Amino acid sequence: MTSISTDPRPLRTADLGTLVIMSWSRETPDGDVPFLLACSLGDGEGGPEAAPAAVEGLLSRSGLAVGGDTVLDATVLPDLPIGLLVVPGAAALTMPGVNAQFAPTAQWRAAVDRRGYACLIFATRPWSGGEPGDGAAVAAFANHEDTLSTAAQVVLPVRTLRG
């Protein structure tokens, strides 16, 4: 008798390479909306060809679906193992296998403070080049159809430290 395991395959962290988090905000009719882009630089052991499968495995372990137009609203899913902690001058995205700290822009921080959430785009597509600090390049990559159609999209509530 043959059985099929539903356990996820082992995560090949060597294929993830360097994961980067980039923040920006975009003006909408309702004000600034804060965004985060998380992606691999494609510099892992298997190169840029192996990064999408490795990132998809990471996302799957966190309960995130990839692709489509669905945006998961984590503000109503308290058991989702993904968090966004924001403190003065810094922020951290945490999920199984990831603890990524970054220094957000003042504009992003102000938008997060007003809204209480950020919109995460976790791309399976490796960063295609340009400087990660270049806001126009980040927005163009994050909004590209090839990125969005293969990314997990999540509205993440912001947690802060209370003193």
Side-chain angles (χ1 to χ4, degrees):
M1 181 167 140
T2 303
S3 65
I4 298 174
S5 172
T6 57
D7 292 336
R9 292 189 328 235
L11 181 63
R12 285 199 31 88
T13 55
D15 286 338
L16 286 172
T18 305
L19 291 176
V20 293
I21 308 289
M22 298 171 261
S23 63
W24 80 100
S25 62
R26 180 173 66 209
E27 187 65 35
T28 70
D30 295 329
D32 259 357
V33 174
F35 288 89
L36 289 175
L37 172 66
C39 62
S40 170
L41 293 181
D43 59 353
E45 196 173 273
E49 297 79 22
V55 172
E56 191 166 345
L58 176 71
L59 295 172
S60 174
R61 282 171 174 65
S62 299
L64 299 179
V66 173
D69 293 332
T70 304
V71 177
L72 187 63
D73 186 355
T75 64
V76 297
L77 298 169
D79 293 335
L80 195 68
I82 302 168
L84 178 60
L85 175 66
V86 178
V87 297
L93 174 68
T94 58
M95 56 194 289
V98 173
N99 183 1
Q101 299 175 13
F102 60 99
T105 65
Q107 183 179 355
W108 183 88
R109 176 61 197 258
V112 160
D113 288 346
R114 278 192 302 280
R115 298 213 177 251
Y117 67 82
C119 300
L120 170 66
I121 300 168
F122 206 125
T124 60
R125 179 178 174 224
W127 175 251
S128 59
E131 288 297 317
D134 176 357
V138 171
F141 178 82
N143 291 309
H144 194 281
E145 183 180 331
D146 291 343
T147 301
L148 291 174
S149 66
T150 60
Q153 299 180 60
V154 185
V155 176
L156 283 176
V158 172
R159 294 180 323 200
T160 59
L161 298 177
R162 292 185 172 88

